[in-house]
Amino acid sequence: MAEEMTPKSDVPFDTSSAPKSENLSVQVTSIRLTKDNYLSWSAALEIGITSRGRLPYITGEKPTPSKTDPQWATWALEDSQVKVWIISSVSADIQSLILRKSTSFDMWTVLARMYGRKKRVLRTVLTVPVGANTGTCTPRAAYSRETIPVVAQ
């Protein structure tokens, strides 16, 4: 005779023994990092990570303890959760650049260095014919080699 499959209601569920990051979502922002949206992505991810109490992991304020430290297991679990959030919020072509980094801080630092600084492309030097900005440029001057540099803003 088969036993009836009923849940046991007399056994209390103990939530206090569950690890802190067991029930956390895999995603903290809907914005995915691409090569062009670092500022909005990083702001959104920082908000999501802060809301879960893990910002010190990406700022470097929560450094890696030694493996013999009693807090290492907790740190490793929580840092891995932050790594999952970062990996799940970047595009597939960017994931391969950070996947093997050992800490979330390392991942964050690599992404900030690669995409966070102002791109030099935004401040390109253009050349314009002398007199072009005063309205005194002649067609001949426009095609001459006499130019002055102008920084695009």
Side-chain angles (χ1 to χ4, degrees), residues 18-25:
K20 290 181 184 178
S21 45
E22 185 174 295
N23 296 320
L24 295 176
S25 171

Side-chain angles (χ1 to χ4, degrees), residues 79-108:
D79 188 65
S80 291
Q81 183 63 59
V82 178
K83 286 167 51 175
V84 167
W85 293 331
I86 294 171
I87 291 166
S88 67
S89 71
V90 301
S91 60
D93 57 325
I94 295 173
Q95 284 180 354
S96 62
L97 302 173
I98 60 170
L99 201 53
R100 297 269 181 211
K101 297 298 174 193
S102 59
T103 68
S104 59
F105 176 72
D106 293 342
M107 288 180 168
W108 189 259

Side-chain angles (χ1 to χ4, degrees), residues 15 48 58 66 81 83 95 99 110 119 124 127 139 143-144 150:
T15 57
I58 62 169
S66 92
Q81 183 63 59
K83 286 167 51 175
Q95 284 180 354
L99 201 53
V110 165
K119 294 181 181 178
T124 57
T127 56
Y143 293 103
S144 74
V150 177

Side-chain angles (χ1 to χ4, degrees), residues 49-152:
I49 291 172
T50 299
S51 73
R52 288 159 175 83
R54 302 286 197 280
L55 188 64
Y57 286 86
I58 62 169
T59 62
E61 296 171 45
K62 185 114 180 176
T64 310
S66 92
K67 290 188 177 186
T68 58
D69 187 318
Q71 295 298 312
W72 187 85
T74 300
W75 178 91
L77 179 69
E78 293 174 356
D79 188 65
S80 291
Q81 183 63 59
V82 178
K83 286 167 51 175
V84 167
W85 293 331
I86 294 171
I87 291 166
S88 67
S89 71
V90 301
S91 60
D93 57 325
I94 295 173
Q95 284 180 354
S96 62
L97 302 173
I98 60 170
L99 201 53
R100 297 269 181 211
K101 297 298 174 193
S102 59
T103 68
S104 59
F105 176 72
D106 293 342
M107 288 180 168
W108 189 259
T109 301
V110 165
L111 295 172
R113 284 183 183 154
M114 291 184 74
Y115 302 106
R117 55 179 189 220
K118 290 184 180 180
K119 294 181 181 178
R120 292 184 183 138
V121 176
L122 296 177
R123 297 198 59 140
T124 57
V125 174
L126 304 175
T127 56
V128 295
V130 174
N133 59 346
T134 63
T136 60
C137 181
T138 64
R140 182 177 178 127
Y143 293 103
S144 74
R145 294 183 183 258
E146 184 181 9
T147 59
I148 56 171
V150 177
V151 177

Side-chain angles (χ1 to χ4, degrees), residues 23-63:
N23 296 320
L24 295 176
S25 171
V26 171
Q27 194 171 357
V28 295
T29 180
S30 60
I31 300 173
R32 281 194 168 277
L33 176 64
T34 64
K35 294 174 182 169
D36 303 316
N37 68 344
Y38 177 81
L39 292 178
S40 58
W41 170 83
S42 63
L45 198 64
E46 279 185 32
I47 291 168
I49 291 172
T50 299
S51 73
R52 288 159 175 83
R54 302 286 197 280
L55 188 64
Y57 286 86
I58 62 169
T59 62
E61 296 171 45
K62 185 114 180 176

